[in-house]
Amino acid sequence: MVHEPLDDSAPAGPQVVTGEREINGHWVIRAQGDLDTDTIDPLFLAMWQAVGGHKVVVLDASAVTFADSSFLSLLLGVHQETDLRIAAPGPILTRLLRTAGVERVLRTYPTLDAALGAS
């Protein structure tokens, strides 16, 4: 299922993308908070824009407090298009990946530095 971003005129929700920047040729996106159908749009846009211009996209997930199937779907879609690296997933995200059976498909790293240094 492809998630279509909502109309930009919708009221702003919580800030889930707290930063984007290039580090050593890798595009890093920092996400925070609860990532579900109601909040995923800013992250959806940021990640798909990054895919268009970068071979490696690193998601700093250290501040993600909740994630649902819409977030998982986004990760799997981005993974199919680029080298997606998930840095510092907490216990909730790790459990989601394990429960969905994708922990061997999606690459996770204990820290942002580890994700940036991976070859």
Side-chain angles (χ1 to χ4, degrees), residues 24 26 55-58 82-85 107-109 111-119:
N24 300 330
H26 305 335
K55 292 181 181 180
V56 177
V57 175
V58 178
T82 192
D83 178 2
L84 174 63
R85 302 174 186 180
R107 297 187 319 168
T108 62
Y109 300 85
T111 64
L112 178 58
D113 287 341
L116 292 170
S119 56

Side-chain angles (χ1 to χ4, degrees), residues 70-91:
S70 61
F71 177 69
L72 185 60
S73 178
L74 173 61
L75 295 180
L76 290 168
V78 169
H79 165 75
Q80 291 177 346
E81 300 297 324
T82 192
D83 178 2
L84 174 63
R85 302 174 186 180
I86 303 166

Side-chain angles (χ1 to χ4, degrees), residues 3 6 15 18 24 35 38 42-43 47 50-52 58 68 71-73 76-78 80 83-84 97 100 115:
H3 175 79
L6 296 176
Q15 183 179 7
T18 60
N24 300 330
L35 296 166
D38 295 331
L43 183 60
M47 291 191 74
V51 166
V58 178
D68 73 358
F71 177 69
L72 185 60
S73 178
L76 290 168
V78 169
Q80 291 177 346
D83 178 2
L84 174 63
L97 298 177

Side-chain angles (χ1 to χ4, degrees), residues 7-79:
D7 183 340
D8 287 338
S9 64
Q15 183 179 7
V16 296
V17 176
T18 60
E20 298 182 66
R21 65 183 178 174
E22 187 172 333
I23 302 175
N24 300 330
H26 305 335
W27 194 252
V28 178
I29 300 170
R30 187 168 195 279
Q32 73 173 8
D34 292 354
L35 296 166
D36 58 27
T37 303
D38 295 331
T39 62
I40 197 86
D41 286 340
L43 183 60
F44 179 91
L45 292 172
M47 291 191 74
W48 282 109
Q49 288 173 348
V51 166
H54 298 87
K55 292 181 181 180
V56 177
V57 175
V58 178
L59 176 64
D60 179 350
S62 60
V64 172
T65 54
F66 173 80
D68 73 358
S69 61
S70 61
F71 177 69
L72 185 60
S73 178
L74 173 61
L75 295 180
L76 290 168
V78 169
H79 165 75

